[in-house]
């Protein structure tokens, strides 16, 4: 797996020059993106309720994210942010004020007390989902099913996680796996991607306590190399790794997503 960036992203051309192969995501550092705001930033924050409405309240997560330092300047983020919390206040995260966060029924097979919160843009475009209470996922990966993958962006994040074999300190990542195109996905993880820069799937999962289950926050719980007749969305599809790196370094959408993912707090 080629390392593209350990704390932010590099221009697309740097992707072709990256030669270091890592077993998982890049090594944690103390730096992260330094957020700038779109023109007209008022610094406003609000608190979102589970139905997507908002009430005025200071946002500690957004402030912490905004004070981070960077090795590569990300695109500007939204000028106003709000904070979402479920009724029991077990999960908290910040999101742009215009985005909508709503609780929906979790998938079958999740543990008791599991949550699923979907984040969408005002036009209904899906952005990400926070899932808790996920059962352990399989790591089986036959050699003939492995595909090369690249870590395009990897930033350390403070999250509670279970360690052990095959884990790393939690990261907010954007990675792409190679199929007939390069399929990119963003999320949080403390799971090693795969051995020798190859994987069957890239899991956006943080391993939690056995009685609480794993949790995920990203566009997909896992991404793989899709077949030509399969639906790709909400994963991103690129013709080249350069295109994927440009998206991560220049897209305001990705800057907003990254800032949102980094603000996540899991209580209890």
């Amino acid at each position: 797996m080629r390392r593209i960036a350990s704390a932010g992203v590099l221009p697309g051309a740097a992707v072709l020059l990256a030669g270091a192969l890592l077993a998982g995501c890049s090594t944690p550092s103390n730096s992260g993106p330094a957020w700038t705001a779109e023109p007209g930033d008022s610094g406003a924050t609000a608190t979102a309720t589970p139905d997507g409405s908002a009430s005025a309240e200071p946002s500690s997560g957004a402030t912490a994210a905004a004070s981070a330092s960077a090795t590569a300047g990300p695109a500007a983020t939204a000028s106003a942010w709000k904070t979402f919390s479920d009724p029991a206040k077990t999960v908290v995260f910040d999101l742009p004020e215009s985005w909508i966060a709503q609780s929906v029924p979790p998938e079958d097979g999740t543990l008791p007390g599991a949550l699923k919160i979907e984040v969408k843009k005002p036009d209904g475009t899906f952005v990400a989902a926070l899932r808790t209470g996920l059962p352990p996922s399989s790591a089986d990966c036959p050699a003939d099913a492995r595909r090369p993958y690249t870590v395009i962006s990897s930033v350390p994040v403070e999250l509670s996680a279970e360690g052990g074999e095959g884990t790393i300190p939690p990261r907010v990542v954007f990675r792409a796996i190679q199929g007939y195109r390069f399929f990119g996905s963003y999320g949080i993880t403390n799971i090693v991607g795969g051995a020798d820069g190859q994987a069957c799937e890239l899991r956006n999962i943080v391993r939690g306590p056995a009685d609480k289950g794993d949790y995920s926050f990203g566009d997909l719980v896992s991404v793989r190399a899709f077949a030509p007749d399969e639906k790709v969305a909400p994963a991103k599809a690129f013709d080249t790794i350069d295109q994927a790196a440009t998206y991560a370094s220049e897209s305001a959408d990705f800057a907003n997503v990254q800032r949102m993912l980094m603000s996540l707090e899991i209580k209890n």
Side-chain angles (χ1 to χ4, degrees):
M1 176 182 63
R2 292 170 291 174
R3 177 184 175 188
I4 303 304
S6 60
V9 293
L10 299 181
V15 176
L16 301 180
L17 300 177
L21 298 178
L22 303 180
C25 294
S26 47
T27 303
S29 68
N30 293 325
S31 60
W35 307 114
T36 58
E38 295 170 347
D41 180 21
S42 64
T45 60
T47 295
T49 58
D51 63 0
S53 60
S55 59
E57 183 176 309
S59 168
S60 60
T63 302
S67 66
S69 61
T71 57
T77 63
S79 58
W81 289 69
K82 61 189 177 185
T83 299
F84 174 90
S85 177
D86 67 298
K89 300 189 181 300
T90 56
V91 297
V92 179
F93 61 89
D94 300 325
L95 68 162
E97 191 172 48
S98 64
W99 290 7
I100 300 165
Q102 290 184 311
S103 297
V104 298
E107 288 90 350
D108 292 340
T110 53
L111 300 182
L115 296 174
K116 182 179 180 182
I117 295 118
E118 290 187 344
V119 178
K120 297 181 179 180
K121 294 182 180 180
D123 63 2
T125 301
F126 176 84
V127 177
L130 170 61
R131 297 172 172 90
T132 68
L134 298 176
S137 55
S138 172
D140 293 341
C141 183
D144 60 357
R146 296 173 186 168
R147 298 291 183 270
Y149 75 94
T150 303
V151 175
I152 296 168
S153 174
S154 180
V155 183
V157 62
E158 293 186 9
L159 287 170
S160 176
E162 294 293 305
E165 185 178 358
T167 66
I168 55 174
R171 316 283 290 180
V172 171
V173 297
F174 179 60
R175 300 173 291 184
I177 190 166
Q178 185 175 351
Y180 72 94
R181 296 182 74 187
F182 294 89
F183 301 104
S185 177
Y186 49 71
I188 58 173
T189 190
N190 78 325
I191 307 294
V192 171
D196 301 323
Q198 295 195 337
C200 292
E201 63 176 2
L202 303 173
R203 292 178 288 167
N204 296 322
I205 290 174
V206 174
R207 187 174 293 168
D211 60 334
K212 298 290 186 180
D214 298 341
Y215 58 98
S216 173
F217 197 13
D219 52 5
L220 291 169
V221 175
S222 64
V223 65
R224 54 186 172 77
F226 296 98
D229 60 348
E230 288 185 293
K231 177 183 175 182
V232 172
K236 304 287 188 292
F238 304 95
D239 293 326
T240 67
I241 281 291
D242 269 352
Q243 289 181 0
T246 298
Y247 163 77
S249 62
E250 299 180 5
S251 167
D253 272 357
F254 179 75
N256 283 326
V257 165
Q258 189 181 56
R259 177 171 172 173
M260 178 179 71
L261 299 182
M262 291 183 67
S263 72
L264 177 64
E265 296 179 37
I266 303 289
K267 307 291 186 178
N268 301 323

